[in-house]
Amino acid sequence: MSTHVAPVGIFDSGIGGLSILQSLQNERPTEHYVYFADTAHAPYGEKGEAHAVARSLAIARCLLEEHGAKALVVACNTATAAAIAALRSQYPTLPIVGVEPALKPALALTRTGHIGVMATRGTVNSAKFIDLLGTLEGQARFTVTPCDGLAQAIESQYRTKIRALIQEYTSATGTFGTETGAIDTLVLGCTHYPLEQAEFRSVLGPDIALVEPGAAVARQLSRLLGPCEQRERTGHITWLTSAEDNGPLMQAVNRWMPPRGTH
Ligand code: DGL
């Protein structure tokens, strides 16, 4: 390992950001990463904007000052909506990439012109999301559902609850299908949800497009950073959590991250 190459800092309220980290690793496999799961302070989406801003600033400080991060990926829609402006004003020269519900990619995919969006309450009520929806007005019909409890159920891998909530919130969103008027495209607007893509698929069937932003976030990081400084070896990942026990994070890592170079 080349210790002199600075890592990319990445954080989420918990394990959701692993869905983004998978794409970062695919795009930049030789990069080093430091991942912070803020499990002790989740769910961001149900604790208000000030909480997400305060936690994002505290985590950014830790990743930059204690771990020397050269860039920051806010792998959480809720934290991006609440705190990206504050992070950019605190660190004006730092490359920072956020995550927002992938409405524009969904527009390119829909044939029925009806798109469902599932996200946390914090994201759907944020000014940033409302502005984004406003810019797309008239281009498609968007039906937006706040999904209280779903990120937390995924965080704790509570299977029966995950399935029940996915059923409840997809049916609250509307009728899915490829016929006129039906929703044929679903935006997974919280980074926890793509981890359960198979569950969404089994509830919605094979014809519905599920849209998540991982690859776009990874490309944006590459635009900001250019080629990796260290190219020969697989990068390593440092795992941090605010939880007392890192067992659940490491279980999630074993399940969702390919076993390469973790420590
Ligand atoms: N994974 C986070 C997101 O993308 C939110 C989960 C939470 O509510 O803490 O919005």
Side-chain angles (χ1 to χ4, degrees):
M1 155 186 123
S2 3
T3 45
H4 61 283
V5 176
V8 170
I10 168 168
F11 75 94
D12 177 52
S13 62
I15 63 173
L18 297 181
S19 68
I20 301 293
L21 185 55
Q22 288 169 342
S23 299
L24 299 185
Q25 265 206 322
N26 289 339
E27 166 94 8
R28 303 177 69 80
T30 59
E31 198 72 83
H32 301 319
Y33 299 96
V34 183
Y35 184 94
F36 192 111
D38 198 15
T39 318
H41 303 99
Y44 287 178
E46 292 158 46
K47 292 191 170 173
E49 196 173 287
H51 176 77
V53 173
R55 291 308 305 155
S56 298
L57 289 169
I59 294 166
R61 196 176 321 118
C62 161
L63 291 172
L64 297 175
E65 291 176 14
E66 291 172 33
H67 297 272
K70 63 181 174 189
L72 189 65
V73 176
V74 184
C76 173
N77 294 262
T78 314
T80 300
I84 199 128
L87 288 166
R88 291 204 163 112
S89 101
Q90 182 80 22
Y91 302 105
T93 59
L94 181 74
I96 301 178
V97 183
V99 176
E100 64 182 11
L103 303 189
K104 287 179 203 161
L107 267 181
L109 290 171
T110 184
R111 290 170 169 233
T112 62
H114 192 178
I115 295 167
V117 184
M118 290 172 58
T120 69
R121 185 166 294 278
T123 296
V124 306
N125 290 337
S126 68
K128 201 164 188 304
F129 179 72
I130 292 165
D131 283 355
L132 175 65
L133 260 188
T135 64
L136 303 175
E137 207 177 308
Q139 298 187 47
R141 179 175 165 207
F142 290 95
T143 302
V144 181
T145 306
C147 302
D148 290 347
L150 181 53
Q152 280 303 88
I154 294 170
E155 187 73 30
S156 48
Q157 280 300 291
Y158 186 177
R159 293 249 55 92
T160 46
K161 191 159 185 195
I162 293 168
R163 175 161 267 261
L165 289 178
I166 289 177
Q167 272 162 343
E168 178 185 335
Y169 291 131
T170 51
S171 44
T173 305
T175 304
F176 284 81
T178 51
E179 63 280 9
T180 311
I183 300 169
D184 68 349
T185 305
L186 178 64
V187 174
L188 303 176
C190 164
T191 54
H192 281 71
Y193 306 166
L195 298 177
E196 292 296 337
Q197 207 149 149
E199 200 68 62
F200 278 93
R201 183 64 64 222
S202 88
V203 169
L204 296 174
D207 299 330
I208 306 304
L210 300 174
V211 191
E212 52 93 13
V217 169
R219 284 194 301 273
Q220 176 61 8
L221 184 67
S222 281
R223 272 192 287 273
L224 294 179
L225 293 184
C228 290
E229 295 162 72
Q230 179 291 113
R231 297 180 184 216
E232 305 79 44
R233 298 177 197 163
T234 303
H236 65 87
I237 309 178
T238 302
W239 301 105
L240 306 172
T241 175
S242 55
E244 276 178 28
D245 174 9
N246 77 347
L249 172 63
M250 296 323 292
Q251 270 172 21
V253 167
N254 288 334
R255 172 156 179 206
W256 279 292
M257 298 300 298
R260 48 182 175 187
T262 61
H263 83 176

